[in-house]
Amino acid sequence: MDTLLAEAAELLAATTNLNVTYTYDQEKNDRGTDGHLTITNGQQKYTWGVELKKRLLRQVLAKLTLVKTVLHDEKALIIAPYINEKLAELCREMQVDYLDLAGNAHLNNPPIYIDIRGRKPPPEHQIQLTRQLTGKAFQPKGMKLVMMLLLRPELVNQPMRVLADEAEIALGTVKQVLDDLKQLTFIIDRGKKGYAINEQDLLLTRWLDAYPHNMEAKLKQALYVAQDLTEIRNAPLEPYGALWGGEVAADAYTHYLKPKTYQIYADAEAHKTLLKKFRLRRLHANETEVTPIRVVEPPVAIEKIKGKLPGYATPLLVYAELLNSDDPRNLETAKRIYNDYLA
């Protein structure tokens, strides 16, 4: 926190070539600001009142709507180590300007308008973010149980042995994850009505934060080249025990995105079947004039991640994959999937 404003200001200046300066407030004032950031354009200066956050949550944004009324003629700016696209979109809707250390930025103070999206945090910041997530719930094994609860919230009232089977994790891990989720009030006790998932949208956000390092990176995957890309692209994969994910699935769900990358979920047996059926070969090093197909081990048994469309992975995983991609064109498609299937 001590250097957050300085790092963000310096990154913004380097990215935009603008004259960016900053000052820290000695102590929290009645306006609730931690400092100020100023962009000088010619003879004009444009200043934001800055609030620094170790972690941006929806509750913080709700509070900022009040802060904006207090700042009067001074724009509010929130700075955090990383702001994922889902929260960034909410900031834009609420007209709250933001910066993060990945380089994402939205500052709207006419004539100054800066909008940079889709940047991922440096590895050291992502690891730090992941470590901030509490206990077992957002660690690799816990992520599988949280995913199943997001897919099927009614599971929260099933015995722990059922949850262990569904998430394919140890019974002891289930108890630790449930305890964490209760402590974080993501699971609440409604008495005779049983347990319920609370603040599911916030739970989704926390799961998405940990997804790149604590789920996606843990899955076995390999890159292949198809002898006939059109053949496999048009083939129904479900009979082979596989599912399309990524951009191909996003296109199927939204009819909005023309896929440039190809990802298939397949367990070990289906993996072998696909290699033989579609004559897939390994992608060679430095091979660039081809379209690779990424075959990924599913986080749980393939039937548990089937989506609403036959042959395609659940929109939850597709949404996470799009947000985790490095392609800004995927962000609008991700928004459509969220609105149509997850909201």
Side-chain angles (χ1 to χ4, degrees), residues 20-303:
V20 182
T21 57
Y22 62 91
T23 57
Y24 283 95
D25 293 340
Q26 293 300 313
E27 57 184 34
K28 277 275 188 180
N29 51 48
D30 57 357
R31 294 183 174 186
T33 58
D34 297 296
H36 290 80
L37 181 141
T38 300
I39 295 177
T40 302
N41 184 26
Q43 299 299 314
Q44 297 295 318
K45 291 187 176 183
Y46 305 88
T47 298
W48 287 258
V50 173
E51 184 162 349
L52 303 174
K53 292 295 174 185
K54 289 182 179 179
R55 182 173 181 78
L56 182 58
L57 300 173
R58 293 174 67 91
Q59 297 95 318
V60 173
L61 291 179
K63 177 186 173 185
L64 274 180
T65 60
L66 300 176
V67 173
K68 285 167 57 182
T69 64
V70 174
L71 292 177
H72 301 297
D73 59 338
E74 190 172 70
K75 292 279 289 183
L77 175 67
I78 191 163
I79 299 178
Y82 178 58
I83 300 172
N84 68 39
E85 175 54 26
K86 192 169 182 298
L87 285 173
E89 179 186 343
L90 187 58
C91 286
R92 295 190 294 268
E93 290 176 357
M94 296 172 63
Q95 298 182 347
V96 172
D97 290 353
Y98 61 84
L99 284 176
D100 71 17
L101 298 184
N104 297 298
H106 186 83
L107 293 90
N108 185 11
N109 195 349
I112 301 295
Y113 182 78
I114 300 167
D115 189 28
I116 303 171
R117 308 183 190 184
R119 297 196 174 184
K120 302 300 174 188
E124 62 271 18
H125 287 133
Q126 181 62 56
I127 292 170
Q128 184 180 11
L129 267 174
T130 301
R131 286 174 177 168
Q132 289 175 1
L133 299 174
T134 302
K136 291 284 186 179
F138 301 100
Q139 299 308 314
K141 291 181 180 178
M143 287 283 287
K144 297 203 292 183
L145 179 53
V146 174
M147 179 185 73
M148 296 309 300
L149 291 172
L150 288 169
L151 289 172
R152 297 171 54 197
E154 70 276 7
L155 285 174
V156 72
N157 284 302
Q158 290 295 316
M160 284 195 289
R161 288 194 179 278
V162 174
L163 295 179
D165 289 341
E166 288 292 333
E168 300 172 18
I169 58 177
L171 192 60
T173 303
V174 170
K175 184 181 186 308
Q176 292 174 321
V177 172
L178 293 178
D179 287 345
D180 282 346
L181 294 176
K182 290 173 184 176
Q183 182 180 357
L184 293 166
T185 69
F186 287 129
I187 293 178
I188 56 173
D189 188 347
R190 300 181 302 169
K192 293 182 180 180
K193 293 183 178 180
Y195 291 101
I197 301 297
N198 184 45
E199 294 189 288
Q200 187 165 331
D201 205 44
L202 178 57
L203 178 60
L204 171 61
T205 298
R206 296 288 296 271
W207 184 81
L208 290 168
D209 281 345
Y211 174 83
H213 278 259
N214 282 354
M215 178 165 280
E216 196 272 343
K218 304 299 181 182
L219 303 177
K220 294 179 181 178
Q221 47 191 282
L223 292 174
Y224 296 95
V225 177
Q227 190 173 60
D228 185 345
L229 182 62
T230 302
E231 179 189 15
I232 190 171
R233 174 65 180 86
N234 294 330
L237 295 185
E238 198 164 11
Y240 305 104
L243 300 169
W244 283 108
E247 294 185 13
V248 173
D251 176 43
Y253 283 120
T254 66
H255 305 292
Y256 184 77
L257 181 69
K258 184 177 180 180
K260 291 183 179 179
T261 63
Y262 296 81
Q263 177 167 313
I264 296 172
Y265 286 104
D267 60 22
E269 184 176 348
H271 194 148
K272 293 178 183 177
T273 302
L274 293 176
L275 296 187
K276 183 177 180 180
K277 172 64 179 176
F278 297 103
R279 300 177 296 283
L280 303 181
R281 65 166 176 83
R282 282 276 192 172
L283 178 70
H284 300 315
N286 301 320
E287 193 174 9
T288 58
E289 299 302 319
V290 295
T291 301
I293 297 174
R294 185 183 303 274
V295 179
V296 181
E297 174 191 43
V300 292
I302 199 80
E303 63 269 12

